[in-house]
Amino acid sequence: METPVFIGLDLAWSERNRTGAAVIRDGTLVDATGELTDDASIEGWLAQHLPPSAPAVIGVDAPLRVPNEHGRRRADHEVSLHWGKFGAGAYPANRRLLARNRRVRGEMLVERLHRRFGFLESAPIPHRGQGRYICEVFPHPAHVALFALPHTLKYKRKPGRTPAMVAAEFARYQQLLSTLQEADPPLRGLETLVATDAAQLRGRRLQALEEMLDAVTCAYVVWFAWHRGPRHQRVYGSVAEGHILVPSLQPVT
């Protein structure tokens, strides 16, 4: 059997913006980029990292199924109820906000990756399953859950956050990711990514770092889910209505 591959995509809602991607194999981060653009570039990058018969899981930070025209999905509501007190509530997803020419990017990507690589939307992820699965994940509650944080990391550039504040939170994010080398499952190969000094970056280069770090989080979440099984996954919503998968260090009852 081929070694399983775990991929994270920090999917931009529009092809005009950059998408981050990361791949984990054999417990090691083997590649990360913040420079993917359209769906063809994402498909081409995936093809470089997917052996023909390898099991694989993709975690995508973007809505993969949006049946509702207005308001928000049940998954968004449930995540906000559970994680809002940590600052990790979900953005409302609906077709009026996300659809371009009546199509949502995440939905189209799932279809494309199913046709080319055989991925099926699944939540929870089967325990050490031998298929190819794709699910929706969300870095903010994942950080809170994996690192036992009292609130979300504040590395996003927003009004009121100075460059120094943002750089400090990036450094904190990188330090927390580096602790995954002692986690279950452990993750190696982060040295270059966590050593990058966000304080020295501006504009596009800083955005690329953010997208790569979030893609690593997404990839680790699906590896964790595959490795630990459904009892360590919280699934909000449903595959049919749109879902969000969040890891849990404690077994879910």
Side-chain angles (χ1 to χ4, degrees), residues 188-247:
R188 302 177 297 274
L190 290 165
E191 292 81 6
T192 299
L193 193 58
V194 301
T196 302
D197 186 359
Q200 302 302 312
L201 305 179
R202 292 290 184 273
R204 178 65 232 144
R205 294 176 64 202
L206 184 61
Q207 187 67 33
L209 176 62
E210 177 183 319
E211 287 153 2
M212 285 189 286
L213 294 178
D214 283 351
V216 169
T217 296
C218 294
Y220 185 80
V221 166
V222 293
W223 184 31
F224 177 100
W226 180 91
H227 178 80
R228 294 243 194 152
R231 291 191 67 210
H232 288 272
Q233 304 169 51
R234 294 185 183 274
V235 177
Y236 300 92
S238 68
V239 168
E241 299 175 296
H243 75 277
I244 297 171
L245 186 153
V246 178

Side-chain angles (χ1 to χ4, degrees), residues 24-232:
I24 295 169
R25 193 170 188 187
D26 286 323
T28 302
L29 178 68
V30 298
D31 194 15
T33 178
E35 298 295 337
L36 301 181
T37 53
D38 61 10
D39 291 349
S41 71
I42 294 171
E43 185 178 321
W45 184 87
L46 288 172
Q48 298 174 36
H49 294 290
L50 280 172
S53 59
V57 190
I58 300 177
V60 184
D61 178 16
L64 300 185
R65 193 178 293 246
V66 186
N68 52 302
E69 191 69 24
H70 310 280
R72 57 181 173 173
R73 305 173 301 169
R74 179 164 66 91
D76 308 324
H77 176 65
E78 291 176 354
V79 164
S80 295
L81 284 177
H82 194 125
W83 299 97
K85 62 185 176 183
F86 302 99
Y91 297 111
N94 62 61
R95 303 193 76 81
R96 286 195 65 184
L97 286 173
L98 301 180
R100 300 292 182 270
N101 298 319
R102 303 185 64 82
R103 301 299 306 276
V104 173
R105 188 180 188 189
E107 295 176 348
M108 292 188 291
L109 185 65
V110 169
E111 293 173 7
R112 187 170 187 144
L113 300 186
H114 171 68
R115 289 194 303 268
R116 173 77 183 272
F117 303 113
F119 282 95
L120 295 173
E121 197 174 352
S122 180
I125 302 302
H127 187 211
R128 309 199 181 199
Q130 298 306 299
R132 288 186 166 180
Y133 316 102
I134 186 167
C135 66
E136 182 179 335
V137 299
F138 185 20
H140 287 319
H143 295 151
V144 173
L146 290 170
F147 304 124
L149 301 180
H151 50 73
T152 57
L153 297 166
K154 308 301 183 186
Y155 57 96
K156 303 284 186 180
R157 288 167 287 177
K158 293 185 177 181
R161 295 179 186 174
T162 67
M165 293 165 62
V166 168
E169 285 294 276
F170 266 109
R172 186 167 170 237
Y173 192 174
Q174 291 164 301
Q175 187 277 326
L176 288 168
L177 287 178
S178 71
T179 68
L180 294 176
Q181 63 186 332
E182 305 296 334
D184 178 24
L187 177 58
R188 302 177 297 274
L190 290 165
E191 292 81 6
T192 299
L193 193 58
V194 301
T196 302
D197 186 359
Q200 302 302 312
L201 305 179
R202 292 290 184 273
R204 178 65 232 144
R205 294 176 64 202
L206 184 61
Q207 187 67 33
L209 176 62
E210 177 183 319
E211 287 153 2
M212 285 189 286
L213 294 178
D214 283 351
V216 169
T217 296
C218 294
Y220 185 80
V221 166
V222 293
W223 184 31
F224 177 100
W226 180 91
H227 178 80
R228 294 243 194 152
R231 291 191 67 210
H232 288 272

